[in-house]
């Protein structure tokens, strides 16, 4: 893990403290870095109407987008204070990919933190490019 990732891990763990996860008990935190150098954090927020729940990554993404950010370099995800693996779900991969397919995504896999390029986590992704629907990357 790089020095920068250590700092992001701290931010993501802090965010996970605010997770609202009465249904799953699985607390997730995310830290998302913009190309302009700002960091936005998020935690998962569950609802008693289960399908309304949202993941930590999309909370961070939508917070950033709602403040005018459109490009991202790094995302780090932590689950259960680093005690559990934390790969991003498919829905989050899709939501993030539309903004920055080249961003680095760090998460715990088989007990250790790995870093992947987002586009490699969602091959043959659907999306729109220049107004047309089709293959995104
Ligand atoms: N969750 C996230 O916040 N991020 C992920 O990448 C995986 C899953 C949340 C959704 C739900 O609140 C809980 O973890 C259990 O699935």
């Amino acid at each position: 893990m790089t020095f920068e990732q250590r700092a992001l891990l701290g931010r993501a763990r802090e965010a996970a403290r605010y997770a609202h996860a009465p249904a799953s008990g699985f607390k997730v935190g995310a830290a998302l870095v913009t190309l302009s150098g700002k960091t936005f954090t998020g935690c998962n927020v569950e609802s008693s109407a289960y399908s309304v729940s949202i993941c930590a990554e999309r909370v961070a993404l939508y917070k950033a987008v709602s403040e005018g950010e459109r490009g991202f370099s790094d995302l780090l995800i932590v689950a259960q204070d680093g005690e559990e693996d934390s790969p991003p779900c498919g829905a989050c991969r899709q939501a993030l990919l539309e903004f920055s397919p080249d961003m680095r995504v760090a998460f715990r896999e088989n007990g250790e933190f790995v870093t992947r390029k987002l586009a490699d986590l969602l091959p043959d992704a659907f999306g729109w490019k220049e107004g047309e629907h089709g293959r995104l990357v």
Side-chain angles (χ1 to χ4, degrees):
M1 186 175 273
T2 65
F3 181 76
E4 287 79 10
Q5 285 176 327
R6 287 213 171 279
L8 286 183
L9 178 59
R11 295 292 305 274
R13 286 174 68 172
E14 223 171 81
R17 293 212 313 260
Y18 300 117
H20 179 64
S24 70
F26 193 70
K27 296 189 168 198
V28 184
L32 178 66
V33 184
T34 69
L35 292 177
S36 58
K38 291 185 205 153
T39 300
F40 288 82
T41 60
C43 63
N44 54 328
V45 183
E46 294 178 351
S47 168
S48 53
Y50 294 158
S51 65
V52 183
S53 303
I54 187 166
C55 295
E57 299 91 314
R58 270 174 292 151
V59 169
L61 174 67
Y62 298 157
K63 279 169 70 178
V65 171
S66 70
E67 293 191 22
E69 302 293 341
R70 289 287 186 277
F72 306 98
S73 64
D74 287 270
L75 170 69
L76 185 140
I77 311 151
V78 68
Q80 301 289 65
D81 212 21
E83 301 285 307
E84 296 287 345
D85 285 354
S86 53
C89 81
C92 289
R93 294 177 197 207
Q94 176 75 38
L96 290 157
L97 196 76
E98 306 206 2
F99 290 94
S100 292
D102 293 332
M103 81 170 84
R104 288 176 291 266
V105 183
F107 55 90
R108 204 185 95 145
E109 183 180 76
N110 299 323
E112 57 187 57
F113 270 87
V114 295
T115 305
R116 304 267 184 263
K117 185 171 120 171
L118 177 59
D120 293 338
L121 296 175
L122 195 63
D124 304 326
F126 170 79
W128 56 73
K129 208 188 222 165
E130 289 147 23
E132 296 293 323
H133 284 87
R135 194 178 144 163
L136 187 61
V137 269

